[in-house]
Amino acid sequence: MASLTANSTIGDWLDDPRGAEALGGLLAASGSDPSSLTPVRALPLQQMVALSQGEMPQSVIDGLVRSVNGGEIPEDDAATGWQETIVVGRFDGKTIVVTGAASGIGQATASRIAREGGKVVAVDISAEKLEAFAQQAPAGSVVPVAADVTNEGDIDRVIAAVGGPIDGLANVAGVNDDFSPIHETSDAIWDRVIGINLTGVFKLTRAVVPGMLEAGKGAIVNVASEAGIRGNASGKAYTVSKHGVVGLTRSAAFMYAKQGIRVNAVAPGGVATGIPFPAHVSEEGSARLHPFQSAIPTVATAAQLAASITFLLSDDGVNINGAILPSDGGWSVQ
Ligand code: NAD
């Protein structure tokens, strides 16, 4: 029988008697059970670290792997589940600005573009994580620019760092809200979430479009959310911000359709990233949302979202403009 490793899917672990016992024990200790893992069965066990949003250290995964392999961590380079397939040269000669590039979906998108031949101007407010990402990318492929997408001066620095034509823009940076309904939503949460998720997208896009108009071409992909197309996926501020991103996408797609600029959005469902929640989460809002959020059919990896985003950014998206592409394992049709 093949060894269970961190690369084995959660489904493989649950279907194996030793794996089910080890994983079941871990879940029971936190008052949960294996049915809670149904949406993530297709993900490698390793993704539980990202999914736990800082709660589960790597040592827990290592401990699980050891517990079913006689105390050892077996060699395993045969990953299971979906594998990213690089399209060699798809972004050759292109310069793409990617925000939120220090983490999660933005980093997976930036990484894929760089590995497919593009030059990435990688933008994030987290300078340290951005630098670490740029260091391990193919030499010269990633230009890190530590910047806050809500700050005009920072946006000017991003444009200056590009220093030439911009072929594509992926607006990925975003933050969660606190799941609050409107009567509980503070000005601080509203201003932060609308500021980063919507105004930041507006401001950076406004700065990039003139160059694209001059060139007569360009592709922009905004990251919306399931919360941009329904009312029961998140709190007030996040839902409004992502509906705003959908409106911004459609309006820009219409306005520039005859000038060679395509503007689309990807609406992710659940994705295993480290996107943090604010310190205080609304109890009332969480309770109301819980049954709907727990109906998420699948949770994706950041690389799976990057596959959708890079498709729309690349010339393969040639005939697509103004689309809001759910990348959610089918959640949006439920
Ligand atoms: P993440 O937290 O892993 O990455 C977001 C990045 O944005 C971080 O590196 C953060 O530093 C950066 N950022 C935050 N504020 C910024 C600012 N003002 N300026 C520049 N950078 C800033 O989160 P993620 O899950 O990869 O989220 C990426 C996008 O996907 C977000 O727009 C999010 O709303 C959207 N999304 C995520 C999920 C999910 O389940 N993870 C679902 C739907 C939509």
Side-chain angles (χ1 to χ4, degrees):
M1 195 188 300
S3 302
L4 285 173
T5 69
N7 281 336
S8 307
T9 64
I10 290 169
D12 286 341
W13 274 75
L14 291 174
D15 293 341
D16 180 290
R18 299 159 306 156
E21 191 184 340
L23 206 46
L26 183 75
L27 291 165
S30 60
S32 189
D33 67 74
S35 66
S36 65
L37 294 180
T38 304
V40 293
R41 278 184 64 91
L43 298 186
L45 183 76
Q46 180 59 45
Q47 286 289 328
M48 285 182 76
V49 174
L51 272 172
S52 74
Q53 309 205 325
E55 295 292 309
M56 182 184 287
Q58 181 62 40
S59 57
V60 173
I61 298 295
D62 293 346
L64 278 173
V65 174
R66 282 202 177 88
S67 74
V68 297
N69 291 292
E72 302 292 325
I73 296 187
E75 287 274 318
D76 176 24
D77 47 18
T80 55
W82 175 82
Q83 296 301 308
E84 182 180 66
T85 306
I86 292 299
V87 183
V88 177
R90 191 163 55 147
F91 288 98
D92 271 359
K94 301 214 172 191
T95 298
I96 315 284
V97 176
V98 180
T99 72
S103 174
I105 299 168
Q107 184 172 110
T109 300
S111 166
R112 178 142 184 188
I113 293 167
R115 285 176 292 131
E116 293 188 350
K119 173 181 154 191
V120 177
V121 175
V123 177
D124 204 288
I125 202 166
S126 174
E128 216 171 292
K129 282 165 69 183
L130 193 60
E131 193 53 48
F133 165 61
Q135 291 293 329
Q136 53 79 54
S141 63
V142 171
V143 178
V145 184
D148 179 342
V149 293
T150 67
N151 181 297
E152 298 274 5
D154 284 9
I155 288 175
D156 291 345
R157 282 195 300 108
V158 171
I159 303 299
V162 178
I166 299 175
D167 300 286
L169 166 65
N171 283 304
V172 190
V175 291
N176 260 325
D177 71 3
D178 58 357
F179 291 161
S180 57
I182 196 165
H183 72 280
E184 280 185 17
T185 303
S186 65
D187 284 354
I189 283 286
W190 178 266
D191 290 345
R192 176 173 158 74
V193 173
I194 299 292
I196 296 170
N197 293 7
L198 181 54
T199 313
V201 174
F202 157 66
K203 287 189 171 179
L204 185 54
T205 306
R206 184 175 60 180
V208 164
V209 159
M212 290 182 169
L213 285 172
E214 209 172 301
K217 60 184 170 106
I220 299 172
V221 178
N222 300 320
V223 173
S225 167
E226 191 75 16
I229 52 179
R230 63 203 294 157
N232 61 3
S234 192
K236 169 62 60 186
Y238 189 85
T239 301
V240 172
S241 74
K242 294 301 187 179
H243 273 71
V245 168
V246 167
L248 187 150
T249 302
R250 288 199 170 121
S251 164
F254 170 75
M255 289 290 183
Y256 303 123
K258 294 186 174 171
Q259 288 150 292
I261 305 176
R262 297 185 296 104
V263 188
N264 295 288
V266 166
V271 191
T273 69
I275 192 167
F277 287 100
H280 300 289
V281 169
S282 161
E283 274 181 35
E284 184 176 336
S286 300
R288 178 78 180 117
L289 290 168
H290 179 73
F292 302 97
Q293 290 177 334
S294 55
I296 295 175
T298 56
V299 171
T301 62
Q304 289 171 344
L305 265 297
S308 302
I309 295 166
T310 52
F311 160 62
L312 289 173
L313 271 178
S314 77
D315 289 343
D316 287 341
V318 56
N319 199 32
I320 305 177
N321 189 30
I324 311 300
L325 177 69
S327 181
D328 63 358
W331 185 14
S332 57
V333 291
Q334 288 186 3

